[in-house]
């Protein structure tokens, strides 16, 4: 009886091995690939695992290939991930976006997360090396922002430059300010920039379009931040902090700080503020100083 059970188990294992080793030909968007059932079924719960698990009939063409009307270039990376559990990601942002789209289509959650993690980690503090110096401004760089794979720089040349982090290629120049660009923040899916021209400008980073201008400050705009409740907060040399409804394009509160506001950090409706030679706390909801 034990012998019989052993032989049955051995046969089952051999059958699984043969199935895993079975070669499969695929035509993905006009590109031909050869792999194995074992590779295609590696990620449990994925579309490819479902297709080639043997539970369904899969159509083939005259050459014995299964046709998938998808991105063939990205599929090469999908196969690399299925074989090895990791992948050498392309450096460009558009290529990574295409790979994420394909990974999502094939229900490869691990690959989607891998690309997401890589996009979020461009360097580590334990191993920082100078990769490239970007010289595009004609005067000092005063502020920087890293958002959604873009590096955004503001300068005393009154321009904002936008770069792709992965390729370091300049994507667009944002023109409109007439004096130093002193601060920037990303709020409600838009880029906001403050300037010594007393204005705050809203931009669409994807297109480079100037959306609108917020006016009200009567001196240099020194700092910008998005609050937890989705408001835009600005500090100025005019001795005020303004809380803006960015959608309505108007200030909903103005806090008098008695001296120039050079910097602040906003958390839970409180602005910890550098005012003159002091650090002060302001309640932005009530518009008054706490201490």
């Amino acid at each position: 009886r034990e012998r019989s059970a052993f032989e049955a188990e051995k046969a089952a294992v051999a059958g699984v091995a043969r199935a895993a080793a079975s070669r499969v030909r695929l035509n993905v968007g006009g590109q031909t690939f050869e792999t194995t059932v074992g590779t295609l079924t590696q990620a449990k719960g994925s579309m490819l695992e479902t297709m080639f698990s043997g539970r369904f009939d899969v159509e083939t063409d005259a050459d014995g290939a299964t046709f998938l009307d998808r991105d063939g270039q990205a599929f090469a990376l999908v196969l690399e991930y299925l074989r090895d559990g990791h992948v050498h990601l392309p450096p460009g942002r558009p290529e990574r976006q295409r790979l994420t789209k394909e990974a999502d289509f094939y229900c490869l959650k691990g690959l989607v997360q891998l690309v997401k993690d890589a996009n979020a980690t461009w360097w580590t503090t334990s191993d920082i090396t100078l990769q490239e110096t970007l010289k595009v401004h004609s005067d000092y760089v005063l502020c920087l922002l890293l958002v959604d794979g873009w590096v955004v720089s503001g300068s005393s040349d009154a321009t904002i430059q936008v770069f792709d982090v992965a390729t370091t290629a300049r994507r667009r120049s944002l023109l409109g300010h007439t004096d130093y660009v002193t601060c920037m923040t990303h709020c409600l899916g838009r880029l906001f920039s403050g300037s010594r021209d007393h204005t705050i400008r809203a931009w669409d980073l994807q297109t480079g379009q100037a959306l609108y201008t917020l006016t009200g400050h009567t001196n240099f705009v020194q700092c910008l931040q998005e609050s937890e409740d989705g408001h835009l907060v600005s500090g100025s040399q005019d001795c005020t902090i303004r809380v803006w409804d960015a959608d309505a394009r108007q200030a909903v509160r103005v806090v008098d700080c008695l001296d120039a506001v050079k910097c602040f950090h906003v958390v839970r409706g409180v602005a910890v503020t550098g005012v003159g030679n002091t650090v002060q706390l302001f309640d932005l909801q009530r518009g008054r100083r706490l201490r």
Side-chain angles (χ1 to χ4, degrees):
R1 183 180 299 176
E2 290 181 0
R3 174 79 177 180
S4 179
F6 171 75
E7 292 297 335
E9 184 176 352
K10 181 179 177 181
V13 171
V16 171
R18 283 195 300 273
S22 298
R23 291 171 63 181
V24 177
R25 177 174 292 183
L26 299 167
N27 179 344
V28 184
Q31 295 188 42
T32 302
F33 299 88
E34 285 197 14
T35 184
T36 66
V37 170
T39 296
L40 294 174
T41 58
Q42 188 68 30
K44 302 306 178 186
S46 69
M47 192 192 82
L48 293 170
E49 189 267 339
T50 301
M51 284 182 63
F52 294 96
S53 63
R55 301 193 297 271
F56 304 97
D57 292 330
V58 179
E59 293 185 2
T60 58
D61 59 21
D63 296 323
T66 297
F67 178 72
L68 297 175
D69 190 15
R70 301 299 300 181
D71 186 331
Q73 185 175 2
F75 191 76
L77 298 174
V78 168
L79 277 184
E80 182 181 342
Y81 170 75
L82 291 173
R83 290 186 185 113
D84 305 327
H86 58 82
V87 63
H88 293 87
L89 294 173
R93 188 166 181 262
E95 290 81 3
R96 291 191 180 191
Q97 288 177 331
R98 284 208 312 269
L99 178 57
T100 299
K101 180 180 178 181
E102 295 303 296
D104 188 57
F105 173 80
Y106 293 118
C107 302
L108 295 169
K109 296 180 181 179
L111 180 54
V112 172
Q113 188 63 46
L114 189 152
V115 179
K116 182 178 179 180
D117 290 345
N119 286 343
T121 310
W122 297 100
W123 60 78
T124 61
T125 55
S126 61
D127 184 22
I128 296 178
T129 57
L130 179 63
Q131 297 296 322
E132 187 168 352
T133 301
L134 308 175
K135 296 180 179 179
V136 293
H137 288 289
S138 60
D139 212 332
Y140 294 117
V141 176
L142 300 179
C143 48
L144 288 168
L145 196 63
L146 179 63
V147 56
D148 295 338
W150 305 106
V151 171
V152 188
S153 59
S155 168
S156 51
D157 65 10
T159 72
I160 299 169
Q161 304 295 337
V162 183
F163 299 89
D164 188 314
V165 171
T167 65
T168 69
R170 179 166 56 174
R171 294 305 183 188
R172 54 190 56 90
S173 299
L174 309 183
L175 308 177
H177 283 298
T178 58
D179 208 331
Y180 295 4
V181 179
T182 52
C183 52
M184 298 182 295
T185 192
H186 195 251
C187 175
L188 303 174
R190 282 157 262 170
L191 173 71
F192 287 89
S193 57
S195 170
R196 282 183 24 157
D197 64 12
H198 307 178
T199 69
I200 300 166
R201 289 180 176 263
W203 311 85
D204 184 329
L205 267 182
Q206 295 299 322
T207 65
Q209 179 184 2
L211 300 176
Y212 52 85
T213 302
L214 300 176
T215 60
H217 284 297
T218 58
N219 209 321
F220 306 159
V221 180
Q222 295 283 68
C223 39
L224 290 169
Q225 187 183 325
E226 180 183 15
S227 65
E228 287 103 327
D229 60 3
H231 285 95
L232 178 69
V233 185
S234 60
S236 169
Q237 286 274 92
D238 66 7
C239 308
T240 68
I241 294 174
R242 289 178 177 256
V243 181
W244 305 83
D245 182 329
D247 287 327
R249 308 181 187 183
Q250 63 183 6
V252 294
R253 273 181 298 282
V254 179
V255 182
D256 189 353
C257 299
L258 303 179
D259 205 339
V261 179
K262 297 290 188 179
C263 56
F264 59 45
H265 181 72
V266 179
V267 58
R268 297 180 182 176
V270 175
V272 183
T273 308
V275 178
N277 62 352
T278 67
V279 176
Q280 300 182 22
L281 276 64
F282 290 89
D283 184 333
L284 297 182
Q285 297 294 327
R286 300 180 181 179
R288 69 185 188 186
R289 189 177 66 165
L290 296 176
R291 62 181 68 178

